[in-house]
Amino acid sequence: MARAIWSGAISFGLVNIPVKLVTAVDRRNVRFRELRREDASRVRYRKVAAADGEEVTSDQMVKGYEIAPDRYVVLEPDELKALAPESSRAIEIEDFVELAEIEPLYYDSSYYLVPGDTAAKPYALLHTAMRESGKAAVARFVLRTKQHLAIIRPVGDALAVSTVVYHDEVIPTEQLDGLPGEDVQPTDRELAMAGQLIESMTVAWEPERYRDTHRDQLLELIERKAAGEDITAAPELEREAGDVVDLVAALEASLAASRDGGSSAESA
């Protein structure tokens, strides 16, 4: 059972709904320690000053913002504390927007909101109203001394809240180099074939279909080595990313392979 990491209330208008914040994602990264090869001794790191190599303790450290190479504006802990967002137990809803209008690039970390002990009815009311309207809520709240902009939306039977990045943190596409211009337009035939290929590869969204194959291979290798198996590294194969010389031919070949794959799967 996931533990609540924050408790407070959703607030919009005069409505107040006590909630608890629960992590929605359990990352399954394979974590390694750095060791000395000869004896597997843990490697530890010290914080040292670049000027003289002396170790620096926590009480000796301050924050510095670099304004030029090796030139810093130093901020003392008290100065930063004075600017910290006021601690609050409220998730303040500021607006409601169409959920479909939110660009996924903005999403950051996601959590579940579960109702407090006496908040089942108002929680269900908000959840149902948002689900039926297709709307999402734009809100702010403070978590671990940092203020977050967030999106609240229904996910299954729960309300989820995702922190989002601010508009000026998303790089606009106008700043990207090498995007095709108006002079690069696909032909009607190419569009039709690309549409057919997309359609032939379209399936229902089932996230359980997709596994982290690299993590699986790492864990298998770890298990085999832990069992004493002698592992010989396979030679690394390089894949060439060549130019598509004949786009139509590539689309035709892809469609043919897709049809063969589909018929094989159906016959199986």
Side-chain angles (χ1 to χ4, degrees):
M1 189 72 177
R3 293 188 302 109
I5 61 173
W6 182 94
S7 61
I10 300 173
S11 175
F12 70 107
L14 298 178
V15 179
N16 202 59
I17 308 172
V19 290
K20 298 175 183 177
L21 194 70
V22 177
T23 301
V25 177
D26 179 16
R27 301 210 179 270
R28 303 296 179 89
N29 296 329
V30 179
R31 301 185 182 278
F32 293 99
R33 301 285 192 185
E34 290 190 310
L35 311 174
R36 186 166 57 186
R37 186 192 301 275
E38 61 191 58
D39 59 1
S41 176
R42 281 279 304 277
V43 176
R44 301 188 184 278
Y45 294 89
R46 298 183 306 153
K47 295 180 179 178
V48 298
D52 53 18
E54 292 292 325
E55 188 167 0
V56 181
T57 59
S58 297
D59 62 325
Q60 295 175 303
M61 290 190 287
V62 293
K63 302 289 186 182
Y65 184 85
E66 191 170 19
I67 56 175
D70 294 325
R71 287 189 59 204
Y72 301 91
V73 173
V74 175
L75 298 176
E76 296 291 338
D78 289 345
E79 295 174 312
L80 291 171
K81 186 177 180 180
L83 294 177
E86 184 179 349
S87 180
S88 171
R89 288 292 174 181
I91 300 177
E92 300 277 358
I93 292 178
E94 297 185 359
D95 302 293
F96 285 91
V97 299
E98 293 289 342
L99 178 58
E101 291 182 357
I102 301 173
E103 165 56 52
L105 277 174
Y106 283 82
Y107 289 116
D108 191 10
S109 298
S110 295
Y111 306 87
Y112 288 124
L113 291 169
V114 296
D117 295 337
T118 61
K121 183 67 178 287
Y123 181 97
L125 175 63
L126 179 60
H127 175 275
T128 304
M130 292 179 66
R131 184 189 63 208
E132 292 184 354
S133 68
K135 298 290 195 299
V138 182
R140 294 180 193 270
F141 73 109
V142 177
L143 177 65
R144 301 189 183 102
T145 72
K146 182 179 179 181
Q147 185 188 70
H148 295 273
L149 185 66
I151 299 295
I152 302 173
R153 66 195 190 280
V155 175
D157 294 330
L159 287 173
V161 57
S162 296
T163 57
V164 293
V165 298
Y166 288 95
H167 176 70
D168 60 357
E169 295 178 308
V170 175
I171 297 173
T173 57
E174 291 80 10
Q175 294 184 15
L176 303 178
D177 295 327
L179 295 181
E182 294 183 1
D183 58 326
V184 182
Q185 294 296 325
T187 65
D188 291 343
R189 184 185 181 197
E190 290 167 347
L191 276 174
M193 295 181 68
Q196 291 177 38
L197 179 57
I198 291 172
E199 186 62 32
S200 69
M201 296 177 66
T202 298
V203 298
W205 168 239
E206 298 174 355
E208 63 273 12
R209 285 165 50 99
Y210 310 99
R211 292 188 57 84
D212 185 343
T213 56
H214 179 249
R215 184 184 69 201
D216 291 343
Q217 291 167 352
L218 270 177
L219 291 174
E220 180 188 1
L221 175 62
I222 290 169
E223 290 178 3
R224 289 167 62 190
K225 296 201 72 170
E229 186 175 340
D230 186 22
I231 306 296
T232 302
E236 187 173 329
L237 300 177
E238 292 188 4
R239 296 183 60 182
E240 295 184 2
D243 293 333
V244 178
V245 178
D246 189 337
L247 183 57
V248 172
L251 286 168
E252 288 176 339
S254 298
L255 277 169
S258 177
R259 293 192 191 101
D260 291 344
S263 59
S264 298
E266 290 170 5
S267 60

